[in-house]
Amino acid sequence: MYEPAVRRRAERRERFTTLSGEPVAPLYTADDLAGFDAARDLGQPGEHPYTRGIHPTMYRGRLWTMRQFAGFGSAEDTNARFRYLLKHGVTGLSTAFDMPTLMGRDADDPLSRGEVGREGVAVSSLADMEVLFDGIPVDEVTTSMTINGPASIVWAMYLAAAEKRGYPLAALGGTIQNDALKEYIAQREWIVPERAAMDLVVDTFRFGVREVPRWNTISVSGYHIREAGATALQELAFTLIDGLEYVKWGVAAGLDPNEFVPRMSFFFDVHNDFFEEIAKFRAARRIWAREMERRYHPTNPRALQLRTHAQTAGVSLTAQQPYNNVVRVALQALAAVLGGTQSLHTNSLDETYALPTEEAVTLALRTQQIIAHESGVADTVDPLGGSYYLEHLTRRMEEGFERYLREIESFGGMVEAVERGYPQREITESSFRFSEQVERGEKLVVGINAYASEEEPPIPTLRIDPEVERKQVARLVETRRRRDAGRWREAIARLREAAARAKTDRRAELMPAFLDCARAYASVGEQVAALKEVFGVYRDPGYF
Amino acid sequence: MSTGTPATSEPVKRPIRVVVAKAGLDGHDRGAKVVARALRDAGMEVIYTGVHQTPEQVVETALQEDVDAIGVSLLSGAHNFIFPRIAELMREKGLDDVLLFGGGIIPEADVPGLKQVGVDRVFPPGASLDEIVRYLDEAVGKRRGAVA
């Protein structure tokens, strides 16, 4: 039937591939699932291997957390945006810090000039953190913080601010991204060399399990890997192998995987290719459950469950015909939901120009609410489970993962692979290959290489008050003047000693020293300077 | 790139030399690397700085490498500080004949101001690689013509 039909009328393309370049057949049938065992490969929702979701009732019980990433200008500006978002129905907060904070530099550092409060909120010390979460019920609302290099420092500030307001640490829930590996692989916000960074991450695992048990001390992130140009498979594989590397380091430091692995969460991108993305989420859960089982045989089932946040693909948005982005985001968000995500951020249409306006953010949030309450997709568990195409893609993802796992294990592990530049080069290649495909018209992007328009009226964008930098510097100077100088000096000295101990002893703790520094109003930059003195710095090898 | 020596006696056209730079604390380097690669594939000599360069380092690299153009990628919102600073340093170092261009997350409303301080062209996300190559060929060609 098929061959004669193609002879009569040629297909639109000679070869169909997913966004990531995987071949797509004209039709999928039971034949494509040879060897597929539904009981073994799917299981029931809430049961091993969790392909269909980590909860038995999924969104019938509770919808995903609608968590919009926000941060700009001063702590006051972002606190106002947080309150606005909570009023409009977000169910979790997510904090974007500015570049100086992400890079562990104070607002008055010469390298911070022009960057303070631009790409997120400026937080230089506990004084800013107190303002940022002022009036937010931190025992009810969970807070995610996108911070990596200086994650321990900023987390300690959050904990110290909550403690000052009388909340016990055990009552606090949230997430720090704290994923060092992907910084060297893709995101490039590092402060110290990779092995010291790994030790800092493991230190937060230890402290979290003991003192802040509701906190996710890491969000192993594929998002940035994908945004840097990786394919869906590379995103999946590198992220899960990063996750396995953290577990390996945690166990080597004497931690019990039954305790710390359940506090590891994940974060994936959700891009344009609808089924490929859904398959990625399902494969991620299955692989994680199988790998954890195989390696550690945990007795706590939560150590097998991959919980994830998702964000629509910033890289897929276009500056041209920006309103088209609303549609892209809706489709991507739908894929994340059908993939069974635990929380979701939807991007705003204007983000190829600037941080989003309040109107654009509201529309992005409404997109999630429409999916949740009007589309019906949240009313049954894993509605696409059993689709020939989807199950085939899910299995292809798993096979692809295994190839990457073998490759990376041949280096010794992810740290060694990163040191050799392996994932970095793989991503750069994919990124360039995709650009070429768009350039040649093999992949079409509406508004870019298809249906382009000549003149487009500009859209409104958010302006950051240029006064923010000056005010932020002034607050920092004032904080330094008012703090107890003796207590500050002691705290920094203690941090330096703790870091020096950690250099030789994997069981030496750093978090108590960071908390002391936070309480003494030591700045992010001052603490990072102490760490760099002990651990050294990292420089971009500049692969392209 | 063409291979072998030219058969005729016409002067060998010196390939365009360009610095592709990531300035400031911004780590978003996908675009910069794709552009660097495309320019290299188009036969240009490309020096990629890596991330986290200060304006001073960018201009110093351009001076040392004797380039025709500096392309700066900025997705951090710091463009209104970093571009003018680079332009100022270029004037101080006598790099008046070097072309300054850029791209990234830059609101349209900021583009006229950047042009005024000396940024010749700002490419938005989604600009075609071919367009960037053609632009550099023409703009550098014009500058070389004017200097010669």
Side-chain angles (χ1 to χ4, degrees):
Chain A
M1 286 293 284
Y2 181 73
E3 298 297 333
V6 173
R7 274 198 298 278
R8 274 198 307 279
R9 185 179 187 157
E11 292 182 326
R12 285 183 290 112
R13 292 177 175 278
E14 261 180 44
R15 209 171 142 259
F16 289 79
T17 58
T18 66
L19 183 68
S20 299
E22 288 287 324
V24 179
L27 181 71
Y28 289 88
T29 66
D31 294 344
D32 294 289
L33 298 183
F36 173 77
D37 177 343
R40 181 196 63 202
D41 298 330
L42 293 184
Q44 294 296 317
E47 287 175 15
H48 192 276
Y50 304 99
T51 313
R52 308 199 69 182
I54 58 166
H55 300 300
T57 62
M58 285 303 289
Y59 306 134
R60 284 173 69 101
R62 195 173 145 266
L63 288 167
W64 63 92
T65 302
M66 298 180 193
R67 192 187 293 283
Q68 293 296 92
F69 188 40
F72 63 96
S74 66
E76 285 85 354
D77 295 330
T78 301
N79 178 265
R81 177 65 69 89
F82 282 168
R83 289 168 187 244
Y84 174 88
L85 287 168
L86 287 169
K87 195 175 102 196
H88 284 268
V90 301
T91 46
L93 296 175
S94 174
T95 316
F97 294 100
D98 69 355
M99 285 307 311
T101 309
L102 292 170
M103 290 298 295
R105 292 182 182 273
D106 288 339
D108 60 349
D109 186 302
L111 281 172
S112 301
R113 285 200 56 200
E115 314 234 17
V116 177
R118 291 268 155 197
E119 211 182 345
V121 59
V123 171
S124 302
S125 80
L126 178 62
D128 300 317
M129 197 61 97
E130 287 167 354
V131 174
L132 184 56
F133 288 97
D134 182 41
I136 309 279
V138 290
D139 55 341
E140 289 166 27
V141 178
T142 58
T143 298
S144 167
M145 289 187 278
T146 296
I147 188 82
N148 293 279
S152 315
I153 294 168
V154 171
W155 187 35
M157 285 179 184
Y158 183 90
L159 299 178
E163 185 185 65
K164 266 187 88 173
R165 289 168 62 195
Y167 294 104
L169 296 189
L172 305 176
T175 305
I176 41 175
Q177 195 166 79
N178 200 23
D179 174 5
L181 284 168
K182 67 93 171 54
E183 297 302 331
Y184 307 94
I185 295 174
Q187 173 82 348
R188 324 233 167 274
E189 288 151 11
W190 47 63
I191 56 168
V192 293
E194 62 286 352
R195 287 174 190 261
M198 288 296 286
D199 288 333
L200 284 168
V201 172
V202 171
D203 179 62
T204 63
F205 291 172
R206 184 189 297 111
F207 187 81
V209 162
R210 197 179 64 215
E211 313 275 344
V212 205
R214 288 184 56 216
W215 203 277
N216 301 314
T217 35
I218 194 166
S219 171
V220 188
S221 301
Y223 189 83
H224 319 82
I225 290 174
R226 188 67 179 280
E227 295 282 304
T231 63
L233 171 62
Q234 288 170 336
E235 176 196 0
L236 174 84
F238 296 159
T239 306
L240 293 179
I241 299 169
D242 283 352
L244 294 172
E245 188 79 6
Y246 291 117
V247 178
K248 185 168 94 184
W249 280 61
V251 169
L255 304 182
D256 179 356
N258 287 299
E259 286 179 0
F260 78 93
V261 177
R263 294 326 305 182
M264 291 175 67
S265 63
F266 286 80
F267 173 24
F268 288 102
D269 197 290
V270 54
H271 213 301
N272 283 334
D273 194 307
F274 193 69
F275 288 102
E276 181 169 66
E277 292 302 305
I278 300 170
K280 182 181 76 187
F281 283 84
R282 300 169 90 248
R285 283 191 296 271
R286 185 152 85 205
I287 295 165
W288 187 250
R290 286 179 172 170
E291 288 295 326
M292 292 314 290
E293 180 64 50
R294 179 169 78 82
R295 288 160 194 252
Y296 303 103
H297 317 293
T299 49
N300 181 354
R302 295 188 56 227
L304 303 173
Q305 297 169 359
L306 180 142
R307 293 171 301 130
T308 190
H309 175 62
Q311 178 170 340
T312 58
V315 72
S316 75
L317 303 183
T318 61
Q320 298 77 357
Q321 305 177 18
Y323 291 102
N324 296 349
N325 293 332
V326 178
V327 182
R328 293 190 178 99
V329 167
L331 287 167
Q332 294 165 3
L334 183 60
V337 169
L338 290 169
T341 193
Q342 276 58 63
S343 67
L344 178 61
H345 167 101
T346 32
N347 289 327
S348 298
L349 71 102
D350 51 355
E351 294 190 62
T352 57
Y353 289 107
L355 295 186
T357 63
E358 208 156 81
E359 291 73 21
V361 169
T362 309
L363 180 56
L365 172 62
R366 295 289 180 251
T367 305
Q368 294 197 40
Q369 292 162 338
I370 289 168
I371 292 172
H373 303 293
E374 298 185 15
S375 75
V377 299
D379 298 344
T380 186
V381 180
D382 187 31
L384 292 178
S387 145
Y388 298 126
Y389 181 35
L390 184 64
E391 297 303 350
H392 169 80
L393 283 175
T394 306
R395 188 157 72 179
R396 290 277 302 168
M397 285 274 175
E398 198 170 0
E399 290 162 0
F401 164 83
E402 280 157 17
R403 285 193 304 275
Y404 270 120
L405 181 65
R406 278 196 298 275
E407 186 70 32
I408 288 168
E409 286 189 335
S410 76
F411 289 100
M414 193 49 118
V415 167
E416 289 80 5
V418 165
E419 286 170 344
R420 306 272 285 277
Y422 173 73
Q424 296 93 312
R425 286 199 184 86
E426 284 285 297
I427 294 167
T428 302
E429 284 305 314
S430 299
S431 159
F432 192 65
R433 209 173 307 131
F434 181 72
S435 301
E436 281 185 323
Q437 287 174 328
V438 172
E439 205 77 359
R440 289 197 296 260
E442 290 166 18
K443 294 282 180 208
L444 294 186
V445 184
V446 172
I448 299 282
N449 62 357
Y451 315 105
S453 359
E454 284 297 317
E455 280 295 312
E456 292 169 27
I459 58 168
T461 52
L462 180 79
R463 310 293 303 175
I464 306 291
D465 182 358
E467 278 293 281
V468 163
E469 187 157 320
R470 198 188 52 75
K471 286 185 194 156
Q472 183 63 19
V473 170
R475 175 146 73 207
L476 180 59
V477 169
E478 181 63 14
T479 301
R480 288 204 186 105
R481 198 181 59 78
R482 283 173 50 179
R483 71 190 172 194
D484 177 337
R487 190 173 172 197
W488 170 80
R489 202 173 305 111
E490 237 168 73
I492 290 285
R494 204 180 141 202
L495 172 61
R496 208 176 282 121
E497 283 161 28
R501 262 200 314 279
K503 218 177 158 181
T504 52
D505 177 6
R506 273 187 158 180
R507 289 166 199 248
E509 293 200 34
L510 279 157
M511 272 308 292
F514 288 126
L515 267 168
D516 264 4
C517 281
R519 294 183 192 117
Y521 289 87
S523 70
V524 170
E526 290 158 355
Q527 296 181 62
V528 166
L531 294 180
K532 286 181 177 171
E533 265 174 52
V534 177
F535 297 122
V537 295
Y538 181 86
R539 289 193 200 290
D540 184 9
Y543 304 114
F544 81 96
Chain B
M1 289 259 318
S2 59
T3 51
T5 43
T8 63
S9 60
E10 63 185 74
V12 183
K13 195 177 151 204
R14 188 164 59 87
I16 292 172
R17 281 175 71 77
V18 53
V19 171
V20 174
K22 283 295 303 175
L25 300 174
D26 180 18
H28 299 93
D29 60 358
R30 183 185 60 87
K33 283 156 75 164
V34 166
V35 169
R37 189 77 174 256
L39 298 181
R40 190 175 67 187
D41 287 357
M44 299 183 198
E45 293 176 357
V46 179
I47 298 102
Y48 172 56
T49 62
V51 297
H52 307 148
Q53 300 287 301
T54 61
E56 287 77 5
Q57 287 170 315
V58 173
V59 173
E60 188 56 32
T61 303
L63 189 67
Q64 295 295 328
E65 298 282 348
D66 188 23
V67 297
D68 300 291
I70 303 176
V72 182
S73 158
L74 278 169
L75 290 83
S76 62
H79 48 272
N80 287 335
F81 170 76
I82 287 175
F83 274 119
R85 180 74 188 129
I86 289 177
E88 183 188 340
L89 289 162
M90 285 170 71
R91 276 192 300 277
E92 277 175 26
K93 303 271 180 186
L95 299 181
D96 303 284
D97 55 337
V98 174
L99 192 68
L100 177 61
F101 71 104
I105 301 286
I106 295 170
E108 282 173 55
D110 291 348
V111 173
L114 296 177
K115 289 201 165 167
Q116 223 161 40
V117 300
V119 184
D120 190 66
R121 177 86 179 259
V122 176
F123 291 96
S128 101
L129 297 174
D130 195 44
E131 189 186 348
I132 300 172
V133 169
R134 261 186 290 125
Y135 155 76
L136 264 183
D137 264 334
E138 278 168 29
V140 171
K142 231 184 275 172
R143 293 215 169 196
R144 282 182 179 176
V147 173

